[in-house]
Amino acid sequence: MSHEFHVVVPPKKIIVITAPSGAGKTSIVKKLVEQRPDLEFSVSCTTRTPREGEVNGKDYYFITVPEFQQRIQQGDFVEHEEVYPGQFYGSLKSEVERIWSKRKIVLYDIDVKGAESIKKKYGRDAIVIYIAPPDKETLVRRLTNRNTESKDSLKKRIKKAEEELSYQSKADKIVVNADFDIAFMNVKNVITNFLKLGAPAHH
Ligand code: 5GP
């Protein structure tokens, strides 16, 4: 008697949520993790100081600049960027391995340049979803209302966000965040399609 074994190996997939700062991507990522146990957030390293309520090892690994440099030397990062002058962010190879070994899908919340690097590296196993603010005024208002930054840091973030708006043409999918619930539903639909069909082939 012969047996056929159907071992279901989930594909090694990556979902990248990117946006200009202030487009509301972090709230979308948080809610995705709550609703979909098959996705797991990849915890990045950063050299910035923790904001109130942020937990080391959950939101980020908060490390010093020398530690960050050492981790670059060791080749620990999939990609890393100086997102703001003097502030480094990097996604860890160990996170991808940890998440895939649990048979889960990697979920990233990273800046536009990081998103581009991940896409280059993983091709159609990765999808880049760009969360776009409805317009520039909304973006500036959201950044200003967040109130977690000093005036100088806020100015840097607004300038950066303006630059980042131009990256949306490189994304696989763009979801406009005018209404959170609608944007969230659209992101979920994009993810469902990606997991069924792979990333769109326009690259
Ligand atoms: P925040 O300081 O507001 O948490 O993050 C600032 C920016 O850095 C956001 O756009 C966030 O998505 C991005 N970011 C967070 N982790 C990484 C990372 O590992 N790599 C890159 N390139 N950007 C990151």
Side-chain angles (χ1 to χ4, degrees):
M1 206 167 91
S2 79
H3 291 281
E4 265 188 64
F5 292 100
H6 295 281
V7 182
V8 182
V9 181
K12 294 180 166 181
K13 297 231 173 186
I14 294 183
I15 294 161
V16 183
I17 309 284
T18 192
S21 189
K25 73 173 175 305
T26 302
S27 325
I28 289 180
V29 168
K30 290 223 160 103
K31 196 160 173 193
L32 275 174
V33 171
E34 274 167 33
Q35 287 200 0
R36 292 203 55 147
D38 56 335
L39 309 185
E40 190 154 328
F41 180 62
S42 166
V43 181
S44 291
C45 288
T46 183
T47 63
R48 79 154 164 76
T49 47
R51 298 194 185 115
E52 211 181 306
E54 283 184 329
V55 177
N56 188 38
K58 184 169 170 270
D59 298 287
Y60 282 106
Y61 296 105
F62 295 98
I63 61 175
T64 62
V65 174
E67 279 167 344
F68 198 95
Q69 279 159 346
Q70 196 191 345
R71 302 207 72 162
I72 297 175
Q73 297 271 305
Q74 286 167 203
D76 290 353
F77 293 122
V78 181
E79 62 73 43
H80 59 88
E81 294 289 339
E82 186 174 0
V83 177
Y84 303 104
Q87 284 180 7
F88 298 89
Y89 294 78
S91 34
L92 290 162
K93 289 179 184 165
S94 56
E95 284 289 285
V96 181
E97 291 313 320
R98 179 180 70 77
I99 295 166
W100 279 348
S101 73
K102 290 162 76 179
R103 301 170 164 250
K104 290 192 177 192
I105 295 143
V106 178
L107 181 64
Y108 278 116
D109 171 346
I110 57 178
D111 86 325
V112 289
K113 287 189 190 152
E116 217 184 338
S117 306
I118 300 283
K119 184 69 191 179
K120 271 207 190 110
K121 186 168 161 113
Y122 294 102
R124 291 192 69 192
D125 290 331
I127 188 165
V128 175
I129 307 174
Y130 185 101
I131 312 296
D135 50 63
K136 210 185 110 183
E137 289 67 37
T138 312
L139 182 75
V140 172
R141 183 159 34 78
R142 283 181 189 164
L143 280 172
T144 312
N145 288 349
R146 189 149 76 179
N147 228 353
T148 53
E149 316 297 330
S150 68
K151 247 199 179 143
D152 185 47
S153 161
L154 179 65
K155 237 173 147 178
K156 273 194 236 164
R157 277 173 188 251
I158 291 173
K159 185 165 170 282
K160 175 91 182 172
E162 284 169 352
E163 275 168 37
E164 289 172 337
L165 283 174
S166 62
Y167 272 81
Q168 59 180 288
S169 57
K170 296 186 182 168
D172 292 309
K173 289 281 177 188
I174 298 166
V175 172
V176 176
N177 185 9
D179 173 278
F180 180 84
D181 293 332
I182 295 172
F184 184 69
M185 193 184 68
N186 286 334
V187 169
K188 276 206 299 193
N189 288 339
V190 168
I191 289 175
T192 305
N193 281 331
F194 165 61
L195 296 178
K196 257 195 274 175
L197 308 168
H202 62 84
H203 280 273

